[in-house]
Amino acid sequence: MTVLPFVIGFTLLFRSFQLLGFAFDLKSMKIMSWGNVALASVGGIIFSLLLIFNPVFTGISLVTLTGVSFIFMGIASIMLALDLRKVKKIPGKVSQELRDRIKSIQDEIDDLKNNIHYMLKRSLTEVFLFLRFLLKYIVIFIPS
C-alpha cells in the first residue's frame, strides 16, 4: 500500500508534464487556447505532487486524489485534442496561389540541383581526361 501512491503519483506527474509541454507547443503554433491545456496540466501536477509527498495521508484518500488527478489529465487531454483539430485545419487555409508559388520554387531548386550535378560530373570527367593526358606524356618523356 505504501508503494502505490508513488507509482500512481509519478505516472500522473510525468503525464502532466507531457501535457504541459504540448501546451507550450500549441503556444508556439499560435493557438489561442493553449492556456487552458496548461492550467489543466498544472492542476494534474499539483495533485500528483500531493500523492508523492504525502504518502501516509494519501493512503487514506488515495482514491480521491487519484480520481481528481485523472480528471484534470482527462480535461487537459480533451482540450489538447480539440486544439490539435484546429492545427490540422491550418494547411487547408493556404491559398492556391501560394501553393503554386511553393511548387515553382521547389521546381527551381530541383533544376539547380540537377544543373550542379551535371556540371560537377562534367568537370570531374574533364579533370580525369587531363590527368590521363598528362600521365601518358609523362610516361613517354621519362627515360628508363
Side-chain angles (χ1 to χ4, degrees), residues 12 40 43-44 47 62-75:
L12 293 175
F47 282 106
L62 177 67
V63 174
T64 305
L65 284 176
T66 304
V68 171
S69 296
F70 275 123
I71 287 171
F72 272 106
M73 285 181 30
I75 290 170

Side-chain angles (χ1 to χ4, degrees), residues 34-96:
W34 69 272
N36 297 335
V37 177
L39 285 175
S41 64
V42 167
I45 291 170
I46 290 170
F47 282 106
S48 62
L49 288 174
L50 282 174
L51 280 170
I52 293 169
F53 290 123
N54 290 327
V56 175
F57 174 71
T58 57
I60 300 168
S61 61
L62 177 67
V63 174
T64 305
L65 284 176
T66 304
V68 171
S69 296
F70 275 123
I71 287 171
F72 272 106
M73 285 181 30
I75 290 170
S77 295
I78 290 170
M79 286 188 284
L80 177 66
L82 294 175
D83 289 339
L84 288 177
R85 194 175 79 187
K86 291 177 190 174
V87 170
K88 184 181 175 186
K89 294 179 182 179
I90 290 174
K93 295 179 181 178
V94 176
S95 68
Q96 187 62 36

Side-chain angles (χ1 to χ4, degrees), residues 9 48 53-54 56 62 70 73 81 88 90-91 97 103 105 109 114-115 118 129-131 140 143-144:
S48 62
F53 290 123
N54 290 327
V56 175
L62 177 67
F70 275 123
M73 285 181 30
K88 184 181 175 186
I90 290 174
E97 179 183 344
K103 176 84 168 104
I105 291 172
I109 290 171
N114 291 335
N115 288 341
Y118 173 75
L129 288 175
F130 181 70
L131 287 175
I140 291 173
S144 314

